[in-house]
Amino acid sequence: MQYLTVLGATGSIGDSTLDVVSRHPERFSVFALTAHTQIAKLASLCETFKPRYAVVADKPSSLVLAEQLQTVSPDTEVLFGEEGLCQVASHPEVDMVMAAIVGAVGLRPTIAAAEAGKKVLLANKEALVMAGDLFMDAVHQAGATLLPIDSEHNAIFQCLPEGYQTHTRMGVKKVLLTASGGPFRQTPLAELSAMTPEQACAHPNWQMGTKISVDSATMMNKGLELIEACWLFGLTPDDIEVVIHPQSVIHSMVEYIDGSILAQLGNPDMRTPIAHALAWPERIFSGVASLDMIQTARLDFEAPDLERFPCLRLAMDAARIGASGPAVLNAANEVAVEAFLAGELEFTGIAQVVEEVLQHAELPEPASLDVVQACDLAARQAARDIIRERSGKH
């Protein structure tokens, strides 16, 4: 029996993880579930899975949850805050941690899981974007197992040779990172500034949360994935080619020096990479329907338009700059996306805010988590100031 902590249990990745887990009760047992503010949903999940621990954002929320659990899951202990997240991520009885908290708040508990030598199923890309060097050092020093959950990175992992070593490359020429292009791939450029949060979140292929849906619409998500891929697979930004593939059937590809290109295909359903990582190196049923190649009929590819998707260009720039550039990029983007979703910033303003923050930010080497988080906080404040000035609120 493998004991699992799910960080971010009430999000879309959490839903898919628990769906796969429920199909294999003889293999997996839920040790802990965490959520930010969706208390009622977390209580319902606790009633179903009876975890040892449940973790929420703050003490008031923990009191509310504890009261709700008295009748449905009385043996579940409720914790709160970053300390509680780190505790359930590093607990000695935990075998695996699904790191699916969206945003910078997931950084410390994900690193805590790595430092404890866990099998880390990484869906929180910010841990690598913000602190890639520190995170990978923690993985190597503790002997943790790191398995990517993003469909693209999981596809790359599956297409790499067995025993792939980042320092030898083993014949790998480059990685082709696929992207759907999101809902605005063909929207006239002049109309982009008027796009609404509802339109931005209407992804044509994937069911995702609001923040990641907006990141997909701007293609910042692909830029963050490019940075993540560099750390995961020992690549430089120039080793990675972003390719728009609107059908989202090929999840990514690896090209070898002999001319071979290996691709991983499947229906756009996150249960496939989740099942792969949960059971790795074995394979288990995910609940995903087989891909019908006849019905699929065709696969299209095109180069990304960096005028349409300036966030992708900014992420590529941050990847090349290195140091704390990616952390600043991520922080400014989180604030800008939040403002867009709140109706305080137009869609094209997201990239403009991020670019302005990057242009003026100090970018020290991320020598410690304290340095990373200081850069993160400074970038957030800079982004808020810019947004306030743009709206005329001085």
Tab-separated table of all heavy atoms in Angstrom, residues 21 45 59 63 75 122 129 156 170 192 224 234 263 297 308 339 361:
chain	number	residue	atom	x	y	z
A	21	VAL	N	-6.986	7.290	-8.031
A	21	VAL	CA	-6.750	6.579	-6.767
A	21	VAL	C	-7.954	5.709	-6.402
A	21	VAL	O	-7.807	4.563	-5.957
A	21	VAL	CB	-6.445	7.595	-5.641
A	21	VAL	CG1	-6.570	6.950	-4.262
A	21	VAL	CG2	-5.047	8.176	-5.824
A	45	LEU	N	-14.570	15.421	0.457
A	45	LEU	CA	-13.491	14.495	0.104
A	45	LEU	C	-13.011	13.713	1.322
A	45	LEU	O	-12.701	12.512	1.223
A	45	LEU	CB	-12.324	15.270	-0.519
A	45	LEU	CG	-12.575	15.910	-1.884
A	45	LEU	CD1	-11.375	16.749	-2.311
A	45	LEU	CD2	-12.871	14.847	-2.942
A	59	LYS	N	-6.313	29.450	10.450
A	59	LYS	CA	-6.961	28.890	11.642
A	59	LYS	C	-8.484	29.001	11.605
A	59	LYS	O	-9.177	28.019	11.934
A	59	LYS	CB	-6.401	29.553	12.902
A	59	LYS	CG	-6.893	28.878	14.177
A	59	LYS	CD	-6.173	29.388	15.408
A	59	LYS	CE	-6.623	28.645	16.655
A	59	LYS	NZ	-5.880	29.101	17.855
A	63	LEU	N	-11.080	25.707	11.912
A	63	LEU	CA	-12.139	25.502	12.908
A	63	LEU	C	-13.455	25.137	12.228
A	63	LEU	O	-14.196	24.265	12.711
A	63	LEU	CB	-12.300	26.763	13.753
A	63	LEU	CG	-11.085	27.158	14.601
A	63	LEU	CD1	-11.329	28.486	15.306
A	63	LEU	CD2	-10.742	26.062	15.600
A	75	ASP	N	-11.960	11.095	12.683
A	75	ASP	CA	-10.559	10.756	12.965
A	75	ASP	C	-9.571	11.586	12.158
A	75	ASP	O	-8.352	11.429	12.307
A	75	ASP	CB	-10.308	9.269	12.690
A	75	ASP	CG	-11.089	8.369	13.640
A	75	ASP	OD1	-11.317	8.800	14.794
A	75	ASP	OD2	-11.472	7.250	13.238
A	122	LEU	N	5.013	16.109	-9.581
A	122	LEU	CA	5.095	17.565	-9.660
A	122	LEU	C	4.109	18.136	-10.662
A	122	LEU	O	4.304	18.066	-11.870
A	122	LEU	CB	6.516	18.000	-10.020
A	122	LEU	CG	6.774	19.506	-9.956
A	122	LEU	CD1	6.664	20.008	-8.519
A	122	LEU	CD2	8.137	19.846	-10.531
A	129	VAL	N	10.086	26.895	-11.485
A	129	VAL	CA	10.221	28.210	-12.102
A	129	VAL	C	10.865	29.189	-11.129
A	129	VAL	O	11.753	29.959	-11.490
A	129	VAL	CB	8.846	28.737	-12.571
A	129	VAL	CG1	8.933	30.195	-12.986
A	129	VAL	CG2	8.331	27.890	-13.735
A	156	ILE	N	7.380	14.116	-22.398
A	156	ILE	CA	8.830	14.148	-22.637
A	156	ILE	C	9.511	13.045	-21.841
A	156	ILE	O	10.361	12.303	-22.363
A	156	ILE	CB	9.401	15.523	-22.248
A	156	ILE	CG1	8.850	16.616	-23.173
A	156	ILE	CG2	10.932	15.520	-22.298
A	156	ILE	CD1	9.045	18.020	-22.641
A	170	MET	N	22.436	11.594	-23.980
A	170	MET	CA	22.108	10.275	-24.535
A	170	MET	C	21.457	10.365	-25.916
A	170	MET	O	20.459	9.708	-26.209
A	170	MET	CB	21.226	9.500	-23.558
A	170	MET	CG	21.906	9.222	-22.223
A	170	MET	SD	20.896	8.325	-21.046
A	170	MET	CE	20.821	6.710	-21.811
A	192	LEU	N	-7.962	41.453	-29.094
A	192	LEU	CA	-7.477	40.750	-27.902
A	192	LEU	C	-7.681	41.547	-26.620
A	192	LEU	O	-7.992	40.981	-25.565
A	192	LEU	CB	-6.004	40.389	-28.060
A	192	LEU	CG	-5.696	39.206	-28.989
A	192	LEU	CD1	-4.194	38.997	-29.119
A	192	LEU	CD2	-6.364	37.920	-28.467
A	224	LEU	N	6.211	29.075	-18.809
A	224	LEU	CA	6.587	28.490	-17.527
A	224	LEU	C	6.987	27.029	-17.707
A	224	LEU	O	7.927	26.544	-17.062
A	224	LEU	CB	5.423	28.603	-16.539
A	224	LEU	CG	4.966	30.021	-16.171
A	224	LEU	CD1	3.767	29.967	-15.233
A	224	LEU	CD2	6.098	30.818	-15.547
A	234	GLY	N	17.630	18.982	-17.892
A	234	GLY	CA	18.977	19.462	-18.139
A	234	GLY	C	19.138	20.117	-19.496
A	234	GLY	O	20.134	19.904	-20.187
A	263	ALA	N	7.054	10.600	-30.044
A	263	ALA	CA	5.947	11.407	-29.542
A	263	ALA	C	5.079	10.566	-28.620
A	263	ALA	O	4.951	9.352	-28.808
A	263	ALA	CB	5.105	11.936	-30.706
A	297	ALA	N	-8.259	11.855	-37.113
A	297	ALA	CA	-8.167	12.159	-38.554
A	297	ALA	C	-6.947	12.977	-38.961
A	297	ALA	O	-6.246	12.625	-39.898
A	297	ALA	CB	-9.441	12.832	-39.066
A	308	ARG	N	1.290	37.817	-30.971
A	308	ARG	CA	0.012	37.424	-30.381
A	308	ARG	C	0.204	36.963	-28.940
A	308	ARG	O	-0.671	37.173	-28.089
A	308	ARG	CB	-0.598	36.285	-31.209
A	308	ARG	CG	-1.909	35.725	-30.633
A	308	ARG	CD	-2.431	34.600	-31.505
A	308	ARG	NE	-2.745	35.086	-32.843
A	308	ARG	CZ	-3.875	35.686	-33.182
A	308	ARG	NH1	-4.824	35.858	-32.279
A	308	ARG	NH2	-4.073	36.093	-34.405
A	339	ALA	N	-5.642	40.357	-11.355
A	339	ALA	CA	-6.285	41.634	-11.673
A	339	ALA	C	-7.187	41.505	-12.898
A	339	ALA	O	-8.283	42.081	-12.943
A	339	ALA	CB	-5.222	42.705	-11.905
A	361	ALA	N	13.086	45.246	-12.327
A	361	ALA	CA	13.366	44.444	-11.131
A	361	ALA	C	14.847	44.152	-10.979
A	361	ALA	O	15.577	44.006	-11.966
A	361	ALA	CB	12.585	43.130	-11.186
